[in-house]
């Protein structure tokens, strides 16, 4: 799907089918990042937003935040637990910049759950130093999500929509999310010609890209931004032929797509290989 293709409902439906649903995309952002902006309500009714780190508890996937016992946010939460957590991973390349705002309330963990969360926190973030250094008096809160405001997508698949708590809870982070940045860097480096070919094959009307770069990859495909000779910037979505849930599957799919597009561009026809001659059947001399 391209940035200048028809904005009809059929085109949008096609683009949606080539990309994970918004709930999965939001879950992926939370998995990639481990920091965001927490906003709580002050006693004058004004929202206070500051930097915050978080973890996801293994298995349950609960989002947990560590706060100072005497912090203003902790005071705000004690009075009004409603809050929001804004997440936008710093590892996304320029031009992608999807983001999610998790809206809900914070609930303090009991001592046992807090001790387990502390271990995970230190493993993910370390004990930190200075103002962010871990303290024995720190308190831990789990975020109970009521809804998620997700903004993302590329080309004609740009989205800004609310994801329900049920859909977010049932969603899964993309299996390639920890590998996507490495895939993008490798393709835009050593395999740049393949990226140009992907753009050339996907631009509407046989447009010719002057430049192209891969933006992101997920289990269903990848996004390429192309700049035409006329200077137009266009985003195209290139689907995989099947779900890719591992790094090796994604690299294999990219290699296969590159080969197919090369063969189409060169109008390559493989030379038929004749079948092997059947081996002669030896007669049994004792018969």
């Amino acid at each position: 799907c391209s940035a200048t293709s028809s904005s009809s409902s059929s085109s949008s439906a096609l683009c949606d089918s080539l990309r994970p649903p918004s709930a999965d995309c939001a879950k992926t952002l939370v998995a990639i990042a481990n920091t965001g902006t927490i906003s709580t309500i002050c006693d004058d009714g004004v929202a206070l937003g500051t930097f915050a780190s978080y973890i996801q508890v293994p298995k349950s996937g609960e989002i947990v935040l560590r706060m100072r016992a005497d912090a203003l946010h902790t005071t705000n939460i004690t009075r009004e637990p409603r809050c929001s957590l804004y997440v936008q991973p710093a590892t996304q390349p320029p031009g992608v910049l999807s983001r999610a705002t998790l809206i809900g309330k914070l609930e303090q963990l009991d001592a046992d759950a807090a001790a387990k969360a502390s271990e995970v926190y230190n493993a993910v973030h370390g004990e930190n130093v200075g103002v962010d250094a871990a303290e024995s008096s720190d308190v831990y809160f789990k975020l109970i999500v009521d809804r998620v405001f997700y903004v993302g997508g590329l080309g004609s698949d740009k989205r800004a929509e609310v994801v329900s708590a049920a859909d977010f809870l049932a969603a899964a982070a993309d299996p390639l999310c920890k590998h996507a940045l490495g895939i993008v860097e490798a393709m835009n480096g050593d395999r740049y010609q393949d990226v140009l070919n992907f753009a050339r094959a996907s631009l509407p009307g046989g447009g010719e890209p002057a430049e192209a770069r891969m933006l992101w990859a997920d289990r269903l495909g990848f996004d390429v931004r192309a700049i035409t000779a006329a200077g137009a910037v266009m985003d195209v979505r290139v689907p995989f032929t099947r779900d890719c849930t591992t790094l090796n599957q994604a690299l294999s799919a990219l290699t296969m797509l590159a080969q197919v597009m090369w063969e189409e561009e060169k109008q390559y026809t493989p030379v038929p290989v004749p079948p092997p001659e059947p081996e002669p059947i030896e007669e049994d001399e004792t018969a």
Side-chain angles (χ1 to χ4, degrees):
C1 295
S2 72
T4 57
S5 60
S6 172
S7 58
S8 65
S9 59
S10 60
S11 176
S12 296
L14 173 60
C15 287
D16 288 345
S17 70
L18 304 180
R19 191 184 303 278
S22 294
D24 285 1
C25 292
K27 209 62 168 287
T28 297
L29 294 179
V30 173
I32 295 174
N34 53 28
T35 62
T37 300
I38 184 70
S39 295
T40 59
I41 303 173
C42 296
D43 55 7
D44 59 0
V46 177
L48 170 69
T50 62
F51 172 86
S53 60
Y54 65 85
I55 60 167
Q56 284 190 280
V57 178
K59 296 183 179 179
S60 72
E62 286 182 337
I63 298 168
V64 174
L65 294 90
R66 178 170 65 192
M67 295 185 182
R68 291 282 187 265
D70 59 353
L72 180 56
H73 279 306
T74 305
T75 302
N76 290 344
I77 294 162
T78 302
R79 183 187 61 259
E80 171 55 82
R82 290 182 300 167
C83 67
S84 67
L85 178 65
Y86 176 81
V87 176
Q88 183 174 332
T91 55
Q92 293 180 111
V96 179
L97 301 182
S98 298
R99 55 264 195 193
T101 304
L102 283 58
I103 303 167
K105 64 180 181 179
L106 288 170
E107 183 177 286
Q108 187 170 345
L109 299 182
D110 60 30
D112 289 341
K116 294 177 181 177
S118 177
E119 294 179 1
V120 178
Y121 234 102
N122 290 337
V124 173
H125 295 282
E127 296 187 359
N128 291 321
V129 296
V131 69
D132 293 321
E135 295 182 357
S136 59
S137 60
D138 287 344
V139 288
Y140 293 80
F141 296 88
K142 68 177 179 180
L143 177 60
I144 301 174
V145 177
D146 175 68
R147 61 193 184 278
V148 178
F149 182 57
Y150 170 75
V151 178
L154 294 159
S156 56
D157 185 38
K158 295 182 179 72
R159 308 178 193 176
E161 59 183 281
V162 176
V163 175
S164 70
D167 286 346
F168 181 73
L169 181 64
D174 191 86
L176 297 182
C177 68
K178 302 296 186 181
H179 305 294
L181 186 60
I183 292 172
V184 167
E185 291 176 345
M187 294 300 298
N188 289 333
D190 296 339
R191 299 183 60 180
Y192 178 69
Q193 187 59 49
D194 288 340
V195 177
L196 273 176
N197 290 340
F198 293 148
R200 182 179 296 109
S202 304
L203 288 176
E208 181 66 22
E211 300 176 31
R213 63 185 177 95
M214 183 180 288
L215 296 175
W216 201 247
D218 54 61
R219 64 181 178 84
L220 298 182
F222 55 95
D223 299 287
V224 174
R225 175 158 295 170
I227 301 178
T228 68
V233 179
M234 306 176 71
D235 293 334
V236 294
R237 175 70 174 175
V238 183
F240 291 137
T241 55
R242 63 185 179 92
D243 279 17
C244 294
T245 58
T246 68
L247 175 60
N248 285 340
Q249 288 177 355
L251 295 177
S252 176
L254 286 165
T255 299
M256 291 176 62
L257 279 171
Q259 179 66 24
V260 169
M261 291 183 179
W262 180 87
E263 290 180 2
E264 290 180 353
E265 180 186 3
K266 303 299 183 182
Q267 298 184 342
Y268 172 75
T269 303
V271 178
V273 178
E277 294 289 337
E279 297 183 2
I281 301 176
E282 297 182 359
E283 295 184 0
D284 188 350
E285 297 179 355
T286 62

